[in-house]
C-alpha cells in the first residue's frame, strides 16, 4: 500500500499546563498529549482524510505505549514506530502566556529515541512509494538519524513530493554553521522546503523572505514556503508563480502546534492539486485554528473547520 504521507522525525509526550499565564513552578495541573513535529504533521493530514504513517522511535516504557495508542486513535499507522531499550520517551513542557510567549522545555536526555532511527531498518520501498515524504531538520542533528534521513531522501530521489521541514531548534545544535551543510545536502533531495524566517536563514544564510525563497529554489527545491509570522506566508515555485497570504485573525491561546497544522494542510493541498494561493490560505487557516486551542495533536482541524475559517476570514 502506498501512503499519501509518510513523515520521519520527532515524537514525544507534550505535558501542557491547563492554566494559562502561570509559570511552571506555580502550575498545578497538566494535560497529556501526543507531540513532536513529524508526528503532529501526520496527525494533521490524517484529520483531513489522508492515509498517513510516521517513522520514529520511542522509549520502551508506558509513555511509549501511550504514543502508539494515540497515533492509532488519530488514524496514523504506527508500524514504523519502534522502541529503544534504555532510553526514555521524551517529554516536553511549555508555559502558556498568550498571545505570543510559549517557552518550551525539552526533556530528551540522555538522548531522544527518535534520534536512534537507523538507515538499515528503514522500509525504503515504502518511503519511495509514498505520495509525500516529510523530513525535519531535527532529524539531521545527530547520528544515526542524520544518516538515516539523508539515506531515505537519496533513495526517494525526488519521486513524488518530498518535503523538508527546516525545523530549526537551536538547543539541538552547537550553532547554525554546524547545521547548514546538512541542510544543504537535504535540500538537494527535496522538492518542497518549509520554514520560518529563522529557519530559512539557517538553511540559506539569507533572511529577507523573497531572497530566501529564491535561495531555496536555487538549492534545488521546486516550492519554497517562507512563514513570515505577522506578515503571513510567502510561497514561490520554480515555475515563477508566487502567493503571499496574510494570517487569519485569531485569539491565540497557544501558538505551539500551529506550524504542524499548517504542514498537514499544506500536504493536503499539494495532494489535491490546489493552486498556490488556495493551498496557503487553507494552511494558514489550519494553523490559526490550532493556535486558538491549547493542545497540538488533538487540536488538528477538520476540513469543515478549515473551510469555515477561510470563508469567514477569521477563526471564530
Amino acid at each position: 500500500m502506498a501512503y499519501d504521507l509518510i513523515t520521519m522525525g520527532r515524537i514525544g509526550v507534550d505535558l501542557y499546563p491547563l492554566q494559562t499565564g502561570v509559570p511552571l513552578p506555580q502550575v498545578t495541573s497538566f494535560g497529556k498529549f501526543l507531540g513532536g513535529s513529524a508526528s503532529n504533521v501526520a496527525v494533521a493530514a490524517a484529520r483531513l482524510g489522508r492515509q498517513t504513517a510516521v517513522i520514529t522511535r520511542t522509549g520502551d516504557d508506558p509513555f511509549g505505549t501511550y504514543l502508539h495508542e494515540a497515533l492509532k486513535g488519530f488514524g496514523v499507522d504506527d508500524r514504523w514506530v519502534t522502541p529503544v531499550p534504555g532510553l526514555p520517551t521524551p517529554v516536553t513542557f511549555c508555559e502558556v502566556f498568550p498571545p505570543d510567549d510559549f517557552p518550551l522545555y525539552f526533556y530528551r536526555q540522555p538522548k531522544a529515541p527518535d534520534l536512534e532511527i537507523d538507515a538499515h531498518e528503514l522500509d525504503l520501498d515504502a518511503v519511495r512509494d509514498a505520495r509525500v515524504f516529510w523530513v525535519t531538520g531535527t532529524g539531521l542533528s545527530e547520528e544515526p538519524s542524520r544518516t538515516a534521513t539523508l539515506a531515505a531522501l537519496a533513495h526517494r530521489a525526488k519521486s513524488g513530493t518530498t518535503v523538508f521541514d527546516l525545523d530549526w531548534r537551536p538547543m539541538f545544535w552547537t550553532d547554525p554553521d554546524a547545521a547548514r551543510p546538512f541542510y544543504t545536502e537535504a535540500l538537494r533531495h527535496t522538492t518542497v522546503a518549509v520554514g520560518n524566517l529563522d529557519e530559512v536563514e539557517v538553511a540559506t544564510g539569507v533572511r529577507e523572505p523573497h531572497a530566501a525563497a529564491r535561495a531555496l529554489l536555487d538549492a534545488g527545491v521546486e516550492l519554497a514556503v517562507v512563514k513570515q509570522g505577522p506578515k503571513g506566508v510567502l510561497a514561490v515555485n520554480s515555475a515563477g508563480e508566487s502567493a503571499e497570504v496574510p494570517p487569519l485573525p485569531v485569539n491565540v491561546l497557544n501558538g505551539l502546534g500551529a506550524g504542524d497544522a499548517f504542514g498537514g494542510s499544506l500536504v493536503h493541498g499539494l495532494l489535491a492539486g490546489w493552486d498556490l494561493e488556495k493551498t496557503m490560505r487553507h494552511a494558514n487557516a489550519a494553523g490559526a485554528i490550532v493556535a486558538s486551542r491549547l493542545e497540538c495533536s488533538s487540536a488538528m482541524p477538520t476540513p469543515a473547520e478549515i473551510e469555515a475559517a477561510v470563508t469567514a476570514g477569521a477563526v471564530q
Side-chain angles (χ1 to χ4, degrees), residues 120-131:
H120 299 96
E121 297 172 357
L122 294 175
D123 186 339
L124 291 174
D125 289 340
V127 166
R128 184 193 59 237
D129 293 343
R131 296 177 69 192

Side-chain angles (χ1 to χ4, degrees), residues 27-89:
V27 173
T28 58
S29 56
F30 296 84
K32 179 171 100 278
F33 310 102
L34 178 146
S37 60
S39 302
N40 279 336
V41 170
V43 169
R47 188 65 59 86
L48 298 175
R50 298 299 178 177
Q51 187 74 26
T52 72
V54 60
I55 301 169
T56 190
R57 306 197 73 182
T58 70
D60 189 8
D61 54 25
F63 275 150
T65 301
Y66 161 71
L67 293 174
H68 278 277
E69 293 172 351
L71 286 170
K72 288 184 282 191
F74 290 126
V76 178
D77 196 322
D78 66 339
R79 69 181 62 193
W80 297 303
V81 182
T82 57
V84 181
L87 290 180
T89 298

Side-chain angles (χ1 to χ4, degrees), residues 14-310:
D14 287 346
L15 295 174
Y16 285 1
L18 299 181
Q19 299 140 287
T20 62
V22 179
L24 275 181
Q26 280 74 56
V27 173
T28 58
S29 56
F30 296 84
K32 179 171 100 278
F33 310 102
L34 178 146
S37 60
S39 302
N40 279 336
V41 170
V43 169
R47 188 65 59 86
L48 298 175
R50 298 299 178 177
Q51 187 74 26
T52 72
V54 60
I55 301 169
T56 190
R57 306 197 73 182
T58 70
D60 189 8
D61 54 25
F63 275 150
T65 301
Y66 161 71
L67 293 174
H68 278 277
E69 293 172 351
L71 286 170
K72 288 184 282 191
F74 290 126
V76 178
D77 196 322
D78 66 339
R79 69 181 62 193
W80 297 303
V81 182
T82 57
V84 181
L87 290 180
T89 298
V91 297
T92 302
F93 290 89
C94 78
E95 293 175 303
V96 181
F97 297 105
D100 58 3
D101 188 18
F102 309 102
L104 275 171
Y105 303 90
F106 291 98
Y107 288 79
R108 291 167 60 87
Q109 291 82 24
K111 185 179 184 181
D114 54 59
L115 293 174
E116 284 293 311
I117 299 171
D118 192 288
H120 299 96
E121 297 172 357
L122 294 175
D123 186 339
L124 291 174
D125 289 340
V127 166
R128 184 193 59 237
D129 293 343
R131 296 177 69 192
V132 179
F133 181 54
W134 180 289
V135 300
T136 74
T138 297
L140 299 172
S141 64
E142 287 194 43
E143 295 288 5
S145 173
R146 176 185 299 148
T147 293
T149 300
L150 294 174
L153 290 172
H155 184 82
R156 185 167 168 84
K158 291 192 176 183
S159 59
T161 298
T162 306
V163 184
F164 181 22
D165 174 5
L166 302 178
D167 184 41
W168 166 250
R169 303 285 180 171
M171 67 285 294
F172 301 155
W173 296 86
T174 54
D175 59 64
D177 289 340
R180 191 165 292 129
F182 303 113
Y183 275 55
T184 299
E185 177 64 17
L187 287 168
R188 289 182 53 241
H189 300 291
T190 53
T191 62
V192 180
V194 183
N196 61 31
L197 295 177
D198 291 336
E199 291 166 338
V200 298
E201 185 175 20
V202 169
T204 68
V206 180
R207 188 174 183 86
E208 194 282 321
H210 288 84
R214 173 50 54 191
L216 289 168
L217 293 173
D218 290 344
V221 306
E222 298 166 14
L223 172 62
V225 179
V226 181
K227 302 173 189 176
Q228 305 176 84
K231 293 186 177 180
V233 62
L234 168 69
V236 182
N237 67 22
S238 55
E241 300 169 323
S242 66
E244 195 158 7
V245 176
L248 257 64
V250 58
N251 291 322
V252 175
L253 175 60
N254 184 357
L256 303 173
D260 303 329
F262 180 101
S265 183
L266 169 65
V267 168
H268 182 62
L270 293 172
L271 289 172
W274 294 345
D275 62 40
L276 272 186
E277 183 167 344
K278 180 176 180 179
T279 301
M280 293 304 114
R281 287 193 182 280
H282 280 69
N284 257 2
I289 290 168
V290 170
S292 74
R293 299 169 176 175
L294 173 65
E295 64 273 26
C296 296
S297 53
S298 55
M300 296 302 173
T302 65
E305 289 173 327
I306 296 173
E307 197 61 51
V310 170

